[in-house]
Amino acid sequence: MKTGVILARFQPIHNGHLQLIKKACDENEQVLVIIGSIDKLSKRNPIPWTIRKQLVEKAINKECVLCNAGG
């Protein structure tokens, strides 16, 4: 099974991240999305990882619904 891996901070998630995830989904049987810098809360990483996780899940779910609706 071919697995794609996406590692990003998602500070916050944006369309570029979603395009990358979609491309990985198109090219792999499964995709692992990893949220980086979870132990660092700073000026460069202002959003806690728990909130980023929720935002990533919501964005991916919304994108999946849109993709499924069109195809």
Side-chain angles (χ1 to χ4, degrees):
M1 176 179 287
K2 190 172 173 188
T3 302
V5 178
I6 306 292
L7 170 61
R9 289 182 305 125
F10 301 106
Q11 289 278 354
I13 189 167
H14 53 70
N15 288 336
H17 291 128
L18 291 174
Q19 289 175 351
L20 185 63
I21 293 167
K22 182 175 182 340
K23 183 171 174 60
C25 289
D26 291 344
E27 295 177 357
N28 298 279
E29 295 173 50
Q30 65 180 10
V31 176
L32 179 61
V33 177
I34 302 170
I35 299 173
S37 300
I38 66 167
D39 61 339
K40 296 175 176 67
L41 199 57
S42 66
K43 191 174 190 177
R44 185 168 182 238
N45 297 302
I47 306 170
W49 78 270
T50 52
I51 293 173
R52 290 184 280 154
K53 178 181 180 279
Q54 292 172 356
L55 294 172
V56 168
E57 288 172 341
K58 183 183 274 190
I60 290 173
N61 288 335
K62 182 179 178 183
E63 186 68 22
C64 288
V65 168
L66 293 175
C67 291
N68 291 335

